Amino acid sequence: MTVKPVLRSDMTIEEICVAGNQYIESEWKTLYDAMLDELTTAFREIEDAAYGRYLDQLMPALFDSLEDAGFIAAEPLKEHDFVIGKCLIFRNSLEKWGTEDNRSRIFWNVIRCKDGQQPIGTLLTEIPHSHLKFDIPRAPVLYSLREHEREQIAKGIRRIME
């Protein structure tokens, strides 16, 4: 039984990040071990899409908790958007760091208050992964940014990763 992170409507983006990381740290490895055989097989056929299947199991609890606390993490979808993990959109991601066996893709979600749509910041999700075989070499990690404009988010990601 997956434990959902406990979030409150008065939390800052930094507090949401801490709670989200506690959730990921407690759940990622058990889920990874449980899905490893299935996703190792899937990787041979669908390659990187196997990581999407994993994130489809890991991330919805976090996004559900955000919604329950009165936040919006999703944005309106465009026609060709590809979404995994409930709210991770590929056009809102960068993959530029690491080696083929330990790459990092960073997704971002601007987090808004339901009332008024005011952004409180951006939640970044780093997914370490291999392009050679199905492998997540370490826990996914969340980072927070106060910025919420695309250009500033990209600068913030580079600052964190480089």
Side-chain angles (χ1 to χ4, degrees), residues 102-154:
N102 190 356
R103 295 286 285 174
S104 280
R105 178 173 291 278
I106 308 282
F107 289 90
W108 67 85
N109 295 84
V110 175
I111 307 300
R112 300 175 186 280
C113 296
K114 271 190 184 155
D115 54 348
Q117 301 275 319
Q118 186 62 32
I120 65 162
T122 301
L123 205 57
L124 308 178
T125 306
E126 178 188 2
I127 311 300
H129 63 285
S130 172
H131 286 184
L132 305 178
K133 64 177 182 170
F134 185 82
D135 183 40
I136 300 174
R138 56 192 159 72
V141 179
L142 301 178
Y143 301 96
S144 61
L145 297 173
R146 286 284 170 143
E147 297 84 3
H148 51 84
E149 299 292 334
R150 192 175 188 91
E151 188 176 312
Q152 296 307 108
I153 292 168

Side-chain angles (χ1 to χ4, degrees), residues 76-88:
L77 297 179
K78 297 184 177 174
E79 185 178 349
H80 297 291
D81 274 338
F82 186 70
V83 181
I84 59 173
K86 185 170 181 168
C87 289
L88 301 174

Side-chain angles (χ1 to χ4, degrees), residues 6-158:
V6 177
L7 304 177
R8 299 178 324 275
S9 62
D10 64 344
M11 291 176 96
T12 64
I13 193 71
E14 294 84 3
E15 291 169 325
I16 290 168
C17 183
V18 169
N21 275 322
Q22 289 169 341
Y23 159 73
I24 289 171
E25 192 59 45
S26 73
E27 297 292 323
W28 87 274
K29 186 72 167 113
T30 304
L31 180 63
Y32 176 81
D33 291 343
M35 296 183 76
L36 185 57
D37 290 345
E38 167 196 343
L39 295 176
T40 297
T41 301
F43 185 84
R44 290 194 276 274
E45 296 170 25
I46 61 174
E47 297 179 349
D48 275 8
Y51 296 108
R53 287 190 184 171
Y54 173 78
L55 294 169
D56 284 344
Q57 299 301 310
L58 180 67
M59 296 306 290
L62 174 63
F63 292 120
D64 289 345
S65 291
L66 280 163
E67 283 178 27
D68 293 347
F71 295 104
I72 298 170
E75 65 178 76
L77 297 179
K78 297 184 177 174
E79 185 178 349
H80 297 291
D81 274 338
F82 186 70
V83 181
I84 59 173
K86 185 170 181 168
C87 289
L88 301 174
I89 303 173
F90 267 85
R91 73 178 149 86
N92 289 350
S93 74
L94 293 171
E95 182 182 78
K96 298 182 177 195
W97 302 276
T99 58
E100 283 304 293
D101 65 337
N102 190 356
R103 295 286 285 174
S104 280
R105 178 173 291 278
I106 308 282
F107 289 90
W108 67 85
N109 295 84
V110 175
I111 307 300
R112 300 175 186 280
C113 296
K114 271 190 184 155
D115 54 348
Q117 301 275 319
Q118 186 62 32
I120 65 162
T122 301
L123 205 57
L124 308 178
T125 306
E126 178 188 2
I127 311 300
H129 63 285
S130 172
H131 286 184
L132 305 178
K133 64 177 182 170
F134 185 82
D135 183 40
I136 300 174
R138 56 192 159 72
V141 179
L142 301 178
Y143 301 96
S144 61
L145 297 173
R146 286 284 170 143
E147 297 84 3
H148 51 84
E149 299 292 334
R150 192 175 188 91
E151 188 176 312
Q152 296 307 108
I153 292 168
K155 286 180 183 173
I157 291 171
R158 282 194 288 279

